[in-house]
């Protein structure tokens, strides 16, 4: 049986200046024992990547970016490429977050190009998918997710996908305080894994980590993490305070 190392990832979104991000990263490192079972990742805003990377250096905390552009360089004002993120110390990059889809016109086709660019640069993509409340109420959850995965993962080989992390983030649960129930989350995670199995085979699907995101807090982490197809959490609001995020990381205690 495949063992998947759990992962707890914090998405800081557009929060924290450089000094604030440094203080938060320092405080988070101070909360760790070094014996954490889960892999830990934080994704500060782009301006804070380099200063935070200096602080988390040799600690178990990995660095992630919140976005990238698919070209390596060129006349793309305001964008940041995969090789640039690697040079800033990133190992992960979040791709296709619903806020990027909603506010910045990110499409499944763009997500697909970004995943390929991330993998080519040696980054691990954290690929976000999720349905809106209307889509869920209309019974379209699985068809929406299938389309996001079909187009988002189009042309990706098993090898290219092998390191990728999936994140199921129901849009109605993000920043609302209303998490999916464990049953709702497990049902979708099992569906996502089945999709991956059809697309990439049983071994790759069995090894793929699927994170849940949407109002994860210390109080609901353990019951979500106990479910067979939930391999971690992508945490927004509750990752901003180091003590709270550390409680989520230490969900087993
Ligand atoms: C997110 O932004 O990925 C997220 C899940 O946010 P929150 O935890 O605040 O719902």
């Amino acid at each position: 049986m495949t063992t998947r190392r759990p992962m707890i990832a914090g998405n800081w979104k557009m929060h924290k200046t450089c000094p604030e991000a440094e203080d938060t990263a320092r405080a988070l490192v101070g909360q760790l024992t070094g014996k954490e079972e889960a892999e830990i990742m934080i994704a500060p805003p782009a301006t804070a990547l380099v200063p935070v990377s200096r602080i988390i250096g040799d600690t178990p905390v990995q660095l992630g970016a919140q976005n990238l552009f698919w070209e390596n360089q060129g006349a793309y004002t305001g964008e940041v490429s995969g090789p640039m993120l690697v040079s800033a110390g990133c190992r992960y990059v979040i791709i296709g977050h619903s806020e990027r889809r909603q506010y910045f016109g990110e499409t499944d086709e763009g997500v697909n190009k970004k995943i390929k660019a991330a993998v080519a640069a040696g980054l691990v993509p954290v690929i976000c998918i999720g349905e809106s409340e209307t889509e869920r109420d209309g019974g379209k959850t699985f068809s929406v997710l299938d389309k996001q995965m079909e187009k988002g993962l189009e042309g990706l080989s098993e090898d290219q996908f092998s390191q990728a992390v999936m994140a199921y983030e129901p849009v109605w649960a993000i920043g609302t305080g209303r998490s999916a129930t464990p049953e709702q989350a497990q049902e979708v995670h099992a569906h996502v894994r089945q999709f991956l199995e059809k697309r990439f085979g049983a071994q790759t699907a069995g090894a793929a980590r699927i994170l849940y995101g949407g109002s994860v807090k210390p109080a609901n982490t353990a019951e979500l993490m106990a479910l067979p197809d939930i391999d971690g959490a992508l945490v927004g609001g509750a990752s901003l305070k180091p003590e709270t995020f550390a409680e989520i990381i230490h969900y087993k205690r």
Side-chain angles (χ1 to χ4, degrees), residues 51-163:
V52 166
S53 82
R54 291 192 182 123
I55 286 164
I56 60 180
D58 293 332
T59 76
V61 184
Q62 301 277 345
L63 191 66
Q66 299 175 16
N67 184 32
L68 86 170
F69 188 57
W70 54 75
E71 295 291 345
N72 283 348
Q73 58 180 28
Y76 303 103
T77 303
E79 296 295 328
V80 174
S81 74
M84 291 172 184
L85 295 179
V86 171
S87 76
C90 290
R91 166 151 176 73
Y92 288 94
V93 57
I94 299 171
I95 296 177
H97 192 281
S98 64
E99 287 152 15
R100 294 217 52 87
R101 295 177 190 257
Q102 191 178 344
Y103 303 128
F104 303 100
E106 194 131 309
T107 62
D108 293 325
E109 290 75 13
V111 166
N112 180 256
K113 289 186 190 174
K114 290 183 177 192
I115 295 170
K116 288 175 179 161
V119 174
L123 291 161
V124 177
V126 178
I127 305 163
C128 301
I129 55 171
E131 82 288 1
S132 69
E133 187 161 31
T134 318
E135 288 162 346
R136 176 163 279 266
D137 291 347
K140 294 187 185 142
T141 299
F142 289 160
S143 61
V144 167
L145 298 174
D146 286 355
K147 181 176 154 283
Q148 290 174 348
M149 288 190 283
E150 263 154 32
K151 295 198 167 186
L153 303 176
E154 197 173 299
L156 228 69
S157 68
E158 192 183 338
D159 191 46
Q160 280 174 307
F161 180 78
S162 61
Q163 298 294 315

Side-chain angles (χ1 to χ4, degrees), residues 11 13 94 97-99 128 169-170 173-177 212-217 234-239:
N11 171 16
K13 311 193 186 196
I94 299 171
H97 192 281
S98 64
E99 287 152 15
C128 301
E169 298 209 303
I174 296 181
T176 59
Y212 167 77
S215 298
V216 172
K217 311 178 256 305
L234 181 52
V235 187
S239 72

